[in-house]
Amino acid sequence: MKDFIAIGDCTADELRELLHLSVQGKQIDKLGGRDKSLPGKTLAMIFEKASLRTRMSFQIAMTDLGGHAVYLKPEDVGIIGDREPAKDMARVLARYVHGIMARTYKHETLIELAKYADVPVINALSDWSHPCQAMADILTMYEHCGDLEGRKIAYIGDGNNVARSLAFACAKFKIKIAIASPRGYELDQRSLDMCNDLMPETAVQLNDGFEAAKDADIIYTDTWVSMGQENEKAERVDDFKKGNFQVNSELLSYAPPRAKVMHCLPAYRGMEITDEVAESDRSVIFDQAENRLHFQRALLKKLLFQNPKAKRR
């Protein structure tokens, strides 16, 4: 693994190794230990979009590993390609740092950064994929459900980048996923086909949240209006409110009592999830948020320490 751009690019063995490193690193962290694998290493963090969890988890992970992170806020970089071509930015930053993490609007920007940078590039979110979030989700599911193979996630919400990455992760870890979205907001058929090609009968698209919740080990949701979709807010909220797409007590009654609730945050209480459910003992939302840190640390160690693309200064 030279870069981390999309779950579908990785083998199941590579993802299992990252999961194992995350579990191991979290155990060391809880015991007060520190793995200083990256002394003198620097990570450039490019943000076209603002973020709380992504910035904090990557920056703290680099500090924990003995390295350093440089935050390039939206005002510094603008939209990559408008202010400066991605291929130029990639080659300039690669002369300064040992790795590049980027949170971009367009997935193509990540692909171009990875093509031209001779240091590892990490996708911290694009319109196509959110692979770091998906792996933190898998770590959380592993902690709360144990063995992953044969488990089921009910994803209730927009068929967006989060749903897509989660579906690919499910295919790699042999988990089933039922995605329930209003008509017009489904995950694209190509992504569903690709997941089911990786593992038959992994992903199914539904238009009823109650049906998706049946037999689920995890009930997962995300915002109905992502960053950059603000001008669609009224229409989106109206469309999602028409069906069974809010994670509330009634929807949970269709799921087994063992089912846990996940949300990648930020959560809009009273919209895609109720406050009652988010604060209930079935919610593992904040374990999930914490696991962003443990996964990022494992990923950085793997990419910047054990990667042939990593610089040896």
PDB file of all heavy atoms in Angstrom, residues 56-84:
ATOM      1  N   MET A  56      -8.245  17.062  14.213  1.00  0.00           N
ATOM      2  CA  MET A  56      -7.725  16.720  15.538  1.00  0.00           C
ATOM      3  C   MET A  56      -7.108  15.321  15.556  1.00  0.00           C
ATOM      4  O   MET A  56      -6.040  15.112  16.127  1.00  0.00           O
ATOM      5  CB  MET A  56      -8.856  16.809  16.570  1.00  0.00           C
ATOM      6  CG  MET A  56      -9.335  18.221  16.833  1.00  0.00           C
ATOM      7  SD  MET A  56      -8.019  19.295  17.486  1.00  0.00           S
ATOM      8  CE  MET A  56      -7.741  18.543  19.088  1.00  0.00           C
ATOM      9  N   SER A  57      -7.767  14.367  14.938  1.00  0.00           N
ATOM     10  CA  SER A  57      -7.270  12.987  15.007  1.00  0.00           C
ATOM     11  C   SER A  57      -5.951  12.836  14.258  1.00  0.00           C
ATOM     12  O   SER A  57      -5.030  12.169  14.746  1.00  0.00           O
ATOM     13  CB  SER A  57      -8.320  12.007  14.487  1.00  0.00           C
ATOM     14  OG  SER A  57      -8.723  12.343  13.180  1.00  0.00           O
ATOM     15  N   PHE A  58      -5.823  13.442  13.087  1.00  0.00           N
ATOM     16  CA  PHE A  58      -4.559  13.334  12.345  1.00  0.00           C
ATOM     17  C   PHE A  58      -3.438  14.099  13.046  1.00  0.00           C
ATOM     18  O   PHE A  58      -2.303  13.624  13.124  1.00  0.00           O
ATOM     19  CB  PHE A  58      -4.723  13.830  10.910  1.00  0.00           C
ATOM     20  CG  PHE A  58      -5.157  12.763   9.953  1.00  0.00           C
ATOM     21  CD1 PHE A  58      -6.465  12.699   9.491  1.00  0.00           C
ATOM     22  CD2 PHE A  58      -4.259  11.788   9.513  1.00  0.00           C
ATOM     23  CE1 PHE A  58      -6.867  11.696   8.615  1.00  0.00           C
ATOM     24  CE2 PHE A  58      -4.649  10.784   8.640  1.00  0.00           C
ATOM     25  CZ  PHE A  58      -5.956  10.736   8.191  1.00  0.00           C
ATOM     26  N   GLN A  59      -3.751  15.303  13.528  1.00  0.00           N
ATOM     27  CA  GLN A  59      -2.704  16.112  14.162  1.00  0.00           C
ATOM     28  C   GLN A  59      -2.198  15.446  15.439  1.00  0.00           C
ATOM     29  O   GLN A  59      -0.985  15.360  15.672  1.00  0.00           O
ATOM     30  CB  GLN A  59      -3.242  17.514  14.463  1.00  0.00           C
ATOM     31  CG  GLN A  59      -2.153  18.462  14.936  1.00  0.00           C
ATOM     32  CD  GLN A  59      -2.532  19.930  14.733  1.00  0.00           C
ATOM     33  OE1 GLN A  59      -3.458  20.250  14.002  1.00  0.00           O
ATOM     34  NE2 GLN A  59      -1.814  20.810  15.386  1.00  0.00           N
ATOM     35  N   ILE A  60      -3.133  14.935  16.260  1.00  0.00           N
ATOM     36  CA  ILE A  60      -2.729  14.276  17.509  1.00  0.00           C
ATOM     37  C   ILE A  60      -2.023  12.954  17.212  1.00  0.00           C
ATOM     38  O   ILE A  60      -1.055  12.594  17.892  1.00  0.00           O
ATOM     39  CB  ILE A  60      -3.961  14.083  18.413  1.00  0.00           C
ATOM     40  CG1 ILE A  60      -4.465  15.449  18.873  1.00  0.00           C
ATOM     41  CG2 ILE A  60      -3.626  13.204  19.610  1.00  0.00           C
ATOM     42  CD1 ILE A  60      -5.811  15.428  19.544  1.00  0.00           C
ATOM     43  N   ALA A  61      -2.482  12.243  16.191  1.00  0.00           N
ATOM     44  CA  ALA A  61      -1.828  10.975  15.831  1.00  0.00           C
ATOM     45  C   ALA A  61      -0.368  11.215  15.457  1.00  0.00           C
ATOM     46  O   ALA A  61       0.527  10.464  15.878  1.00  0.00           O
ATOM     47  CB  ALA A  61      -2.572  10.300  14.683  1.00  0.00           C
ATOM     48  N   MET A  62      -0.101  12.270  14.667  1.00  0.00           N
ATOM     49  CA  MET A  62       1.288  12.571  14.305  1.00  0.00           C
ATOM     50  C   MET A  62       2.106  12.936  15.541  1.00  0.00           C
ATOM     51  O   MET A  62       3.255  12.494  15.694  1.00  0.00           O
ATOM     52  CB  MET A  62       1.343  13.713  13.284  1.00  0.00           C
ATOM     53  CG  MET A  62       1.068  13.291  11.848  1.00  0.00           C
ATOM     54  SD  MET A  62       2.222  12.056  11.193  1.00  0.00           S
ATOM     55  CE  MET A  62       3.761  12.976  11.095  1.00  0.00           C
ATOM     56  N   THR A  63       1.524  13.718  16.436  1.00  0.00           N
ATOM     57  CA  THR A  63       2.233  14.090  17.671  1.00  0.00           C
ATOM     58  C   THR A  63       2.531  12.850  18.505  1.00  0.00           C
ATOM     59  O   THR A  63       3.644  12.664  19.013  1.00  0.00           O
ATOM     60  CB  THR A  63       1.390  15.084  18.488  1.00  0.00           C
ATOM     61  OG1 THR A  63       1.138  16.237  17.689  1.00  0.00           O
ATOM     62  CG2 THR A  63       2.106  15.498  19.770  1.00  0.00           C
ATOM     63  N   ASP A  64       1.521  11.970  18.646  1.00  0.00           N
ATOM     64  CA  ASP A  64       1.708  10.735  19.422  1.00  0.00           C
ATOM     65  C   ASP A  64       2.865   9.899  18.866  1.00  0.00           C
ATOM     66  O   ASP A  64       3.602   9.269  19.615  1.00  0.00           O
ATOM     67  CB  ASP A  64       0.437   9.881  19.392  1.00  0.00           C
ATOM     68  CG  ASP A  64      -0.661  10.439  20.288  1.00  0.00           C
ATOM     69  OD1 ASP A  64      -0.386  11.407  21.035  1.00  0.00           O
ATOM     70  OD2 ASP A  64      -1.784   9.910  20.237  1.00  0.00           O
ATOM     71  N   LEU A  65       2.991   9.873  17.542  1.00  0.00           N
ATOM     72  CA  LEU A  65       4.014   9.038  16.900  1.00  0.00           C
ATOM     73  C   LEU A  65       5.379   9.727  16.850  1.00  0.00           C
ATOM     74  O   LEU A  65       6.329   9.193  16.271  1.00  0.00           O
ATOM     75  CB  LEU A  65       3.558   8.664  15.478  1.00  0.00           C
ATOM     76  CG  LEU A  65       2.358   7.699  15.415  1.00  0.00           C
ATOM     77  CD1 LEU A  65       1.759   7.668  14.013  1.00  0.00           C
ATOM     78  CD2 LEU A  65       2.768   6.294  15.838  1.00  0.00           C
ATOM     79  N   GLY A  66       5.454  10.905  17.430  1.00  0.00           N
ATOM     80  CA  GLY A  66       6.735  11.614  17.483  1.00  0.00           C
ATOM     81  C   GLY A  66       6.979  12.513  16.295  1.00  0.00           C
ATOM     82  O   GLY A  66       8.066  13.089  16.153  1.00  0.00           O
ATOM     83  N   GLY A  67       5.987  12.669  15.427  1.00  0.00           N
ATOM     84  CA  GLY A  67       6.127  13.511  14.245  1.00  0.00           C
ATOM     85  C   GLY A  67       5.438  14.855  14.419  1.00  0.00           C
ATOM     86  O   GLY A  67       5.112  15.279  15.539  1.00  0.00           O
ATOM     87  N   HIS A  68       5.172  15.507  13.296  1.00  0.00           N
ATOM     88  CA  HIS A  68       4.626  16.865  13.309  1.00  0.00           C
ATOM     89  C   HIS A  68       3.652  17.006  12.143  1.00  0.00           C
ATOM     90  O   HIS A  68       3.870  16.435  11.070  1.00  0.00           O
ATOM     91  CB  HIS A  68       5.773  17.874  13.160  1.00  0.00           C
ATOM     92  CG  HIS A  68       5.326  19.296  13.106  1.00  0.00           C
ATOM     93  ND1 HIS A  68       4.741  19.925  14.181  1.00  0.00           N
ATOM     94  CD2 HIS A  68       5.375  20.212  12.101  1.00  0.00           C
ATOM     95  CE1 HIS A  68       4.449  21.168  13.850  1.00  0.00           C
ATOM     96  NE2 HIS A  68       4.819  21.372  12.591  1.00  0.00           N
ATOM     97  N   ALA A  69       2.576  17.762  12.365  1.00  0.00           N
ATOM     98  CA  ALA A  69       1.596  17.992  11.301  1.00  0.00           C
ATOM     99  C   ALA A  69       1.449  19.486  11.042  1.00  0.00           C
ATOM    100  O   ALA A  69       1.462  20.288  11.979  1.00  0.00           O
ATOM    101  CB  ALA A  69       0.246  17.400  11.694  1.00  0.00           C
ATOM    102  N   VAL A  70       1.323  19.846   9.776  1.00  0.00           N
ATOM    103  CA  VAL A  70       1.122  21.249   9.379  1.00  0.00           C
ATOM    104  C   VAL A  70      -0.277  21.384   8.792  1.00  0.00           C
ATOM    105  O   VAL A  70      -0.614  20.703   7.806  1.00  0.00           O
ATOM    106  CB  VAL A  70       2.165  21.692   8.331  1.00  0.00           C
ATOM    107  CG1 VAL A  70       1.896  23.126   7.888  1.00  0.00           C
ATOM    108  CG2 VAL A  70       3.569  21.563   8.892  1.00  0.00           C
ATOM    109  N   TYR A  71      -1.094  22.239   9.411  1.00  0.00           N
ATOM    110  CA  TYR A  71      -2.491  22.425   8.998  1.00  0.00           C
ATOM    111  C   TYR A  71      -2.588  23.525   7.946  1.00  0.00           C
ATOM    112  O   TYR A  71      -2.195  24.671   8.191  1.00  0.00           O
ATOM    113  CB  TYR A  71      -3.325  22.789  10.232  1.00  0.00           C
ATOM    114  CG  TYR A  71      -4.755  23.182   9.947  1.00  0.00           C
ATOM    115  CD1 TYR A  71      -5.599  22.364   9.196  1.00  0.00           C
ATOM    116  CD2 TYR A  71      -5.277  24.370  10.459  1.00  0.00           C
ATOM    117  CE1 TYR A  71      -6.919  22.724   8.953  1.00  0.00           C
ATOM    118  CE2 TYR A  71      -6.599  24.738  10.231  1.00  0.00           C
ATOM    119  CZ  TYR A  71      -7.419  23.908   9.482  1.00  0.00           C
ATOM    120  OH  TYR A  71      -8.718  24.269   9.244  1.00  0.00           O
ATOM    121  N   LEU A  72      -3.099  23.162   6.775  1.00  0.00           N
ATOM    122  CA  LEU A  72      -3.336  24.125   5.698  1.00  0.00           C
ATOM    123  C   LEU A  72      -4.842  24.323   5.599  1.00  0.00           C
ATOM    124  O   LEU A  72      -5.558  23.473   5.068  1.00  0.00           O
ATOM    125  CB  LEU A  72      -2.750  23.604   4.382  1.00  0.00           C
ATOM    126  CG  LEU A  72      -1.222  23.448   4.396  1.00  0.00           C
ATOM    127  CD1 LEU A  72      -0.754  22.605   3.221  1.00  0.00           C
ATOM    128  CD2 LEU A  72      -0.561  24.817   4.362  1.00  0.00           C
ATOM    129  N   LYS A  73      -5.339  25.415   6.163  1.00  0.00           N
ATOM    130  CA  LYS A  73      -6.777  25.632   6.246  1.00  0.00           C
ATOM    131  C   LYS A  73      -7.350  26.067   4.899  1.00  0.00           C
ATOM    132  O   LYS A  73      -6.590  26.440   3.983  1.00  0.00           O
ATOM    133  CB  LYS A  73      -7.093  26.654   7.332  1.00  0.00           C
ATOM    134  CG  LYS A  73      -6.433  27.991   7.188  1.00  0.00           C
ATOM    135  CD  LYS A  73      -6.758  28.839   8.405  1.00  0.00           C
ATOM    136  CE  LYS A  73      -6.162  30.235   8.301  1.00  0.00           C
ATOM    137  NZ  LYS A  73      -4.698  30.246   8.301  1.00  0.00           N
ATOM    138  N   PRO A  74      -8.696  26.011   4.767  1.00  0.00           N
ATOM    139  CA  PRO A  74      -9.306  26.362   3.475  1.00  0.00           C
ATOM    140  C   PRO A  74      -8.838  27.714   2.932  1.00  0.00           C
ATOM    141  O   PRO A  74      -8.651  27.868   1.721  1.00  0.00           O
ATOM    142  CB  PRO A  74     -10.804  26.361   3.792  1.00  0.00           C
ATOM    143  CG  PRO A  74     -10.949  25.387   4.928  1.00  0.00           C
ATOM    144  CD  PRO A  74      -9.700  25.544   5.741  1.00  0.00           C
ATOM    145  N   GLU A  75      -8.608  28.677   3.806  1.00  0.00           N
ATOM    146  CA  GLU A  75      -8.165  29.997   3.340  1.00  0.00           C
ATOM    147  C   GLU A  75      -6.752  29.953   2.762  1.00  0.00           C
ATOM    148  O   GLU A  75      -6.352  30.818   1.976  1.00  0.00           O
ATOM    149  CB  GLU A  75      -8.199  31.007   4.492  1.00  0.00           C
ATOM    150  CG  GLU A  75      -9.592  31.291   5.020  1.00  0.00           C
ATOM    151  CD  GLU A  75      -9.984  30.346   6.152  1.00  0.00           C
ATOM    152  OE1 GLU A  75      -9.565  29.171   6.119  1.00  0.00           O
ATOM    153  OE2 GLU A  75     -10.700  30.791   7.048  1.00  0.00           O
ATOM    154  N   ASP A  76      -5.954  28.951   3.142  1.00  0.00           N
ATOM    155  CA  ASP A  76      -4.577  28.833   2.649  1.00  0.00           C
ATOM    156  C   ASP A  76      -4.523  28.222   1.248  1.00  0.00           C
ATOM    157  O   ASP A  76      -3.690  28.610   0.431  1.00  0.00           O
ATOM    158  CB  ASP A  76      -3.743  27.947   3.588  1.00  0.00           C
ATOM    159  CG  ASP A  76      -3.559  28.570   4.959  1.00  0.00           C
ATOM    160  OD1 ASP A  76      -3.461  29.803   5.030  1.00  0.00           O
ATOM    161  OD2 ASP A  76      -3.531  27.812   5.946  1.00  0.00           O
ATOM    162  N   VAL A  77      -5.383  27.216   1.011  1.00  0.00           N
ATOM    163  CA  VAL A  77      -5.262  26.444  -0.238  1.00  0.00           C
ATOM    164  C   VAL A  77      -6.376  26.740  -1.233  1.00  0.00           C
ATOM    165  O   VAL A  77      -6.242  26.445  -2.431  1.00  0.00           O
ATOM    166  CB  VAL A  77      -5.241  24.924   0.055  1.00  0.00           C
ATOM    167  CG1 VAL A  77      -4.018  24.563   0.858  1.00  0.00           C
ATOM    168  CG2 VAL A  77      -6.506  24.469   0.775  1.00  0.00           C
ATOM    169  N   GLY A  78      -7.517  27.298  -0.752  1.00  0.00           N
ATOM    170  CA  GLY A  78      -8.650  27.493  -1.644  1.00  0.00           C
ATOM    171  C   GLY A  78      -9.136  26.153  -2.179  1.00  0.00           C
ATOM    172  O   GLY A  78      -8.983  25.112  -1.540  1.00  0.00           O
ATOM    173  N   ILE A  79      -9.720  26.159  -3.348  1.00  0.00           N
ATOM    174  CA  ILE A  79     -10.112  24.919  -4.021  1.00  0.00           C
ATOM    175  C   ILE A  79      -8.939  24.507  -4.896  1.00  0.00           C
ATOM    176  O   ILE A  79      -8.531  25.252  -5.797  1.00  0.00           O
ATOM    177  CB  ILE A  79     -11.376  25.115  -4.884  1.00  0.00           C
ATOM    178  CG1 ILE A  79     -12.531  25.659  -4.033  1.00  0.00           C
ATOM    179  CG2 ILE A  79     -11.753  23.802  -5.561  1.00  0.00           C
ATOM    180  CD1 ILE A  79     -12.962  24.737  -2.915  1.00  0.00           C
ATOM    181  N   ILE A  80      -8.389  23.331  -4.637  1.00  0.00           N
ATOM    182  CA  ILE A  80      -7.217  22.890  -5.398  1.00  0.00           C
ATOM    183  C   ILE A  80      -7.595  22.746  -6.870  1.00  0.00           C
ATOM    184  O   ILE A  80      -8.604  22.138  -7.212  1.00  0.00           O
ATOM    185  CB  ILE A  80      -6.698  21.545  -4.849  1.00  0.00           C
ATOM    186  CG1 ILE A  80      -6.346  21.687  -3.366  1.00  0.00           C
ATOM    187  CG2 ILE A  80      -5.475  21.073  -5.631  1.00  0.00           C
ATOM    188  CD1 ILE A  80      -6.033  20.375  -2.690  1.00  0.00           C
ATOM    189  N   GLY A  81      -6.776  23.308  -7.711  1.00  0.00           N
ATOM    190  CA  GLY A  81      -7.091  23.303  -9.140  1.00  0.00           C
ATOM    191  C   GLY A  81      -7.541  24.675  -9.601  1.00  0.00           C
ATOM    192  O   GLY A  81      -7.310  25.057 -10.747  1.00  0.00           O
ATOM    193  N   ASP A  82      -8.205  25.422  -8.705  1.00  0.00           N
ATOM    194  CA  ASP A  82      -8.581  26.799  -9.033  1.00  0.00           C
ATOM    195  C   ASP A  82      -7.388  27.723  -8.749  1.00  0.00           C
ATOM    196  O   ASP A  82      -6.968  28.501  -9.603  1.00  0.00           O
ATOM    197  CB  ASP A  82      -9.788  27.251  -8.206  1.00  0.00           C
ATOM    198  CG  ASP A  82     -11.069  26.540  -8.629  1.00  0.00           C
ATOM    199  OD1 ASP A  82     -11.041  25.855  -9.678  1.00  0.00           O
ATOM    200  OD2 ASP A  82     -12.079  26.645  -7.914  1.00  0.00           O
ATOM    201  N   ARG A  83      -6.874  27.615  -7.515  1.00  0.00           N
ATOM    202  CA  ARG A  83      -5.753  28.476  -7.118  1.00  0.00           C
ATOM    203  C   ARG A  83      -4.434  27.953  -7.665  1.00  0.00           C
ATOM    204  O   ARG A  83      -3.565  28.713  -8.058  1.00  0.00           O
ATOM    205  CB  ARG A  83      -5.690  28.547  -5.598  1.00  0.00           C
ATOM    206  CG  ARG A  83      -4.598  29.437  -5.048  1.00  0.00           C
ATOM    207  CD  ARG A  83      -4.714  29.506  -3.526  1.00  0.00           C
ATOM    208  NE  ARG A  83      -3.700  30.377  -2.957  1.00  0.00           N
ATOM    209  CZ  ARG A  83      -2.480  29.960  -2.615  1.00  0.00           C
ATOM    210  NH1 ARG A  83      -2.149  28.703  -2.785  1.00  0.00           N
ATOM    211  NH2 ARG A  83      -1.609  30.807  -2.096  1.00  0.00           N
ATOM    212  N   GLU A  84      -4.291  26.620  -7.675  1.00  0.00           N
ATOM    213  CA  GLU A  84      -3.033  26.003  -8.086  1.00  0.00           C
ATOM    214  C   GLU A  84      -3.320  24.573  -8.531  1.00  0.00           C
ATOM    215  O   GLU A  84      -4.097  23.870  -7.875  1.00  0.00           O
ATOM    216  CB  GLU A  84      -2.059  25.982  -6.889  1.00  0.00           C
ATOM    217  CG  GLU A  84      -0.686  25.459  -7.211  1.00  0.00           C
ATOM    218  CD  GLU A  84       0.275  25.650  -6.025  1.00  0.00           C
ATOM    219  OE1 GLU A  84      -0.181  26.011  -4.936  1.00  0.00           O
ATOM    220  OE2 GLU A  84       1.479  25.425  -6.229  1.00  0.00           O
TER     221      GLU A  84
END
